[in-house]
Amino acid sequence: MSQDIANCFTQPNLASASPENIAWVAIGNECRAVGYLAAAQFNAHIGLAGLKYSSALYKALAALWVVSRKLDLGNQFSAAISVFLPPGEFNDSKQFFELLSQYSASFETPTGKLSVTLDKTQALQEGGGIALIHNSNLGSAFKQRVTAFVMVGFRNASVIVSARGAVGKGKTSDLGMVRLVDLVQERTSNYDASRLALSIAQAGVSYNRPYFYRIARNREETAKDREVDQLIEAVKLSRFDYARMLSHWINEVLQPDLDEIVFCGGTSEYMKPELRNQFSHYSLSWHAGITVPKTLDPDGLGCRIADVYGLFSYFKSQFEVLRQRSVAATSQRAEDTTSSSGDAPVPTTDIQSVKECAEQSTTPKSEQSTKPKSEQPTHPKSEPPTKLKLEQFTHAKSERSTEQKFEESTEQKTEDITEQKIEEPAEQKIEEPTEQKTEDITEQNTEIFAQQKADSSIKHSCLDDSNKLSDESSSNTEPSLEESEANLDAALLLGGPYRSAGKKVRNYA
């Protein structure tokens, strides 16, 4: 459509309509409406004949605009993107990301030009998100099991197999829900495919009549009842044929030593009675028990987005484990420093505290003296820090200044005693306490020197740990599956590493 027509529909509704319902994108002179706007206003067809990645380009660009509106990202930002593709179309991911990277740099939207930099990109086989969660839950046991993940969606049916820890490239067919819709259309008056699919799904296994009345074409009540009866009978026959075709294909691609099957996708949920009956001799699971929270699923898509939510949950858990390990490592280093210095134990701290410690310790003296007391480093002792100890931590007072104070104090006390005009016995009495005071001062300063060295040791250990942590963080920002209990073969499962600007970068999976 033309961009002028697109603006006529969207500009008056930008403030009131959700962005996903008025989405369109323009690349050069070509403008495409996407989603609800395309279907409701421009009578768009489903478009299942071509390759997925060609139409996915416009959907992905529109999704970036929707995200920018909902998260208030502005017209320029960067994004990391993962996409699911059927195993049979997995090789198209390279062309898809090349096109997406090229056109996302500058494209028109209902709110103006948008510029998005693709930071990282990755394609996954359909069912990969659920496979990650399921194998992680099994722990090391997944290395002893052969599990098939059967993803049945609207367009395709795919199977990937995890054979005792090794995940290979899966198989793909065109036996998605659309095949059932085709069979119904052949037996009826060729209803609109999208409306027919919706009515079939909503009617469920009980074939609730009200959902079929919505698409009936007759206006007269008796004729409409007869039309609905014929439509329901067509759905029942088509469902039987479709279940037979789907089950036959799944049996063809399954391994003979299979232990369990995990069914995924909305169509597998719809066909659950037939699939459960056909594959009852296996251990069965639907969506690996994943439940999408309602806060993330306001439209009730449910199991249809379980694969995406599974991937999100897996990444989130891996980064949380990495963060906890970093905190634990920092605490352990602090304890080791305490035991080696012989001082009081250092409280457990987090990564940010160590970084602040390093920043304050390396700040020039002139800047440190102006900082408020709350920003000063916390002293490792439980008792309130004295002025000497605080200065020692931030300014590193030398031992020489302390010795000078000691000498001045001793000389002053000696002069005071000498000036006193007293008798010989009295002088002896005075000299004894003077010597005692001198010994006390010596012992006191000895303790101060020891405390200086201990505090200095803790400070340098803290800085060393902070530098080590910084180095480790910069070189270990990705979760290590080898250290995980479930050592997943994610490189095969997810189809390879992230790509950025045509070269491989770190694999977050």
Side-chain angles (χ1 to χ4, degrees):
M1 63 180 188
S2 70
Q3 190 169 332
D4 291 338
I5 294 178
N7 275 318
C8 289
F9 282 99
T10 57
Q11 289 301 319
N13 302 309
L14 281 175
S16 58
S18 298
E20 61 267 30
N21 293 329
I22 54 172
W24 60 263
V25 294
I27 303 172
N29 295 326
E30 187 173 4
C31 181
R32 297 280 186 97
V34 176
Y36 179 78
L37 177 64
Q41 300 295 337
F42 301 101
N43 197 30
H45 57 84
I46 299 177
L48 300 179
L51 294 173
K52 271 191 172 182
Y53 84 89
S54 58
S55 60
L57 170 65
Y58 296 93
K59 296 179 181 180
L61 292 174
L64 288 172
W65 174 71
V66 171
V67 170
S68 72
R69 294 286 293 174
K70 292 200 168 187
L71 301 183
D72 195 20
L73 300 179
N75 292 331
Q76 188 171 0
F77 56 93
S78 61
I81 298 180
S82 291
V83 298
F84 288 101
L85 287 173
E89 298 182 37
F90 192 77
N91 292 333
D92 294 334
S93 61
K94 181 179 179 181
Q95 293 91 323
F96 168 71
F97 283 127
E98 286 177 352
L99 291 174
L100 184 61
S101 179
Q102 176 184 352
Y103 293 122
S104 64
S106 179
F107 63 99
E108 292 291 335
T109 70
T111 55
K113 183 172 292 186
L114 201 64
S115 178
V116 181
T117 301
L118 298 189
D119 182 26
K120 300 175 183 65
T121 59
Q122 184 170 29
L124 301 88
Q125 297 184 84
E126 288 181 344
I130 291 177
L132 284 170
I133 293 298
H134 181 72
N135 288 348
S136 296
N137 291 337
L138 287 177
S140 58
F142 94 99
K143 296 181 181 179
Q144 308 301 324
R145 297 179 67 84
V146 180
T147 305
F149 297 89
V150 181
M151 170 66 71
V152 190
F154 183 74
R155 174 173 173 172
N156 301 110
S158 303
V159 176
I160 57 175
V161 178
S162 172
R164 299 188 179 183
V167 181
K169 188 175 180 180
K171 304 291 184 180
T172 304
S173 73
D174 60 354
L175 292 174
M177 182 73 169
V178 67
R179 185 59 182 139
L180 171 60
V181 174
D182 290 342
L183 293 173
V184 175
Q185 286 180 322
E186 292 173 3
R187 289 184 166 98
T188 58
S189 301
N190 196 25
Y191 295 92
D192 177 75
S194 58
R195 297 186 65 199
L196 178 59
L198 180 61
S199 297
I200 293 173
Q202 290 177 333
V205 295
S206 58
Y207 307 101
N208 292 325
R209 296 176 66 86
Y211 296 103
F212 293 111
Y213 273 102
R214 295 177 181 178
I215 60 174
R217 295 176 176 175
N218 284 287
R219 298 300 178 211
E220 197 269 323
E221 290 297 326
T222 303
K224 182 177 288 189
D225 288 338
R226 185 168 55 251
E227 179 185 358
V228 169
D229 290 337
Q230 294 173 351
L231 183 55
I232 292 176
E233 183 65 22
V235 173
K236 288 180 179 180
L237 294 174
S238 300
R239 179 171 179 146
F240 176 82
D241 291 341
Y242 172 64
R244 180 171 50 83
M245 289 187 292
L246 179 62
S247 300
H248 178 73
W249 177 79
I250 294 174
N251 276 316
E252 286 291 323
V253 299
L254 293 180
Q255 296 187 194
D257 58 342
L258 188 70
D259 296 310
E260 63 176 341
I261 301 177
V262 178
F263 287 104
C264 321
T267 304
S268 70
E269 185 73 22
Y270 174 75
M271 299 295 296
K272 183 182 287 189
E274 290 83 356
L275 294 173
R276 180 184 286 147
N277 180 65
Q278 181 66 33
F279 299 98
S280 58
H281 51 289
Y282 294 110
S283 175
L284 301 180
S285 168
W286 265 261
H287 324 294
I290 294 176
T291 301
V292 183
K294 292 183 178 180
T295 53
L296 299 180
D297 186 20
D299 296 323
L301 296 174
C303 58
R304 286 177 281 178
I305 58 173
D307 202 19
V308 176
Y309 180 68
L311 179 63
F312 165 76
S313 300
Y314 176 79
F315 282 159
K316 185 172 179 287
S317 66
Q318 291 299 302
F319 284 113
E320 180 64 21
V321 169
L322 182 64
R323 188 191 69 82
Q324 292 176 355
R325 287 177 181 172
S326 300
V327 173
T330 305
S331 301
Q332 184 62 41
R333 293 192 190 100
E335 292 176 1
D336 295 342
T337 302
T338 302
S339 60
S340 62
S341 63
D343 201 352
V346 180
T348 303
T349 183
D350 57 8
I351 301 173
Q352 187 64 30
S353 299
V354 176
K355 290 183 177 179
E356 292 175 358
C357 171
E359 292 172 356
Q360 293 174 349
S361 300
T362 55
T363 304
K365 296 180 181 180
S366 59
E367 295 181 8
Q368 291 176 5
S369 60
T370 60
K371 286 186 177 182
K373 191 171 182 179
S374 60
E375 297 181 6
Q376 296 292 345
T378 303
H379 197 273
K381 277 186 171 294
S382 58
E383 62 186 25
T386 63
K387 182 178 181 182
L388 174 61
K389 294 179 181 179
L390 185 60
E391 291 177 350
Q392 185 181 34
F393 188 80
T394 57
H395 298 286
K397 277 271 188 178
S398 65
E399 295 182 4
R400 182 178 176 277
S401 61
T402 307
E403 292 175 353
Q404 185 177 0
K405 289 182 178 180
F406 163 68
E407 292 174 357
E408 292 175 356
S409 176
T410 305
E411 291 175 357
Q412 181 63 37
K413 291 182 178 180
T414 304
E415 290 176 0
D416 294 342
I417 295 172
T418 305
E419 291 176 356
Q420 295 180 6
K421 296 180 180 180
I422 55 177
E423 298 178 356
E424 183 68 18
E427 291 177 353
Q428 293 178 355
K429 292 180 180 179
I430 294 175
E431 289 174 358
E432 290 177 359
T434 302
E435 293 175 358
Q436 182 64 35
K437 290 181 179 179
T438 302
E439 292 175 359
D440 294 341
I441 295 174
T442 303
E443 292 177 358
Q444 179 181 358
N445 283 275
T446 301
E447 294 176 356
I448 293 174
F449 298 153
Q451 184 63 45
Q452 286 178 328
K453 293 179 180 179
D455 290 348
S456 178
S457 175
I458 293 175
K459 180 191 71 174
H460 291 299
S461 298
C462 183
L463 293 176
D464 292 341
D465 293 338
S466 176
N467 293 332
K468 290 179 182 178
L469 179 61
S470 178
D471 292 340
E472 292 174 1
S473 298
S474 61
S475 62
N476 190 25
T477 56
E478 59 190 49
S480 174
L481 294 180
E482 295 177 356
E483 298 176 2
S484 159
E485 186 179 7
N487 184 15
L488 306 179
D489 191 352
L492 290 174
L493 178 66
L494 303 181
Y498 274 98
R499 289 178 169 84
S500 176
K503 61 182 180 180
K504 293 183 178 180
V505 295
R506 58 182 179 270
N507 189 340
Y508 279 85

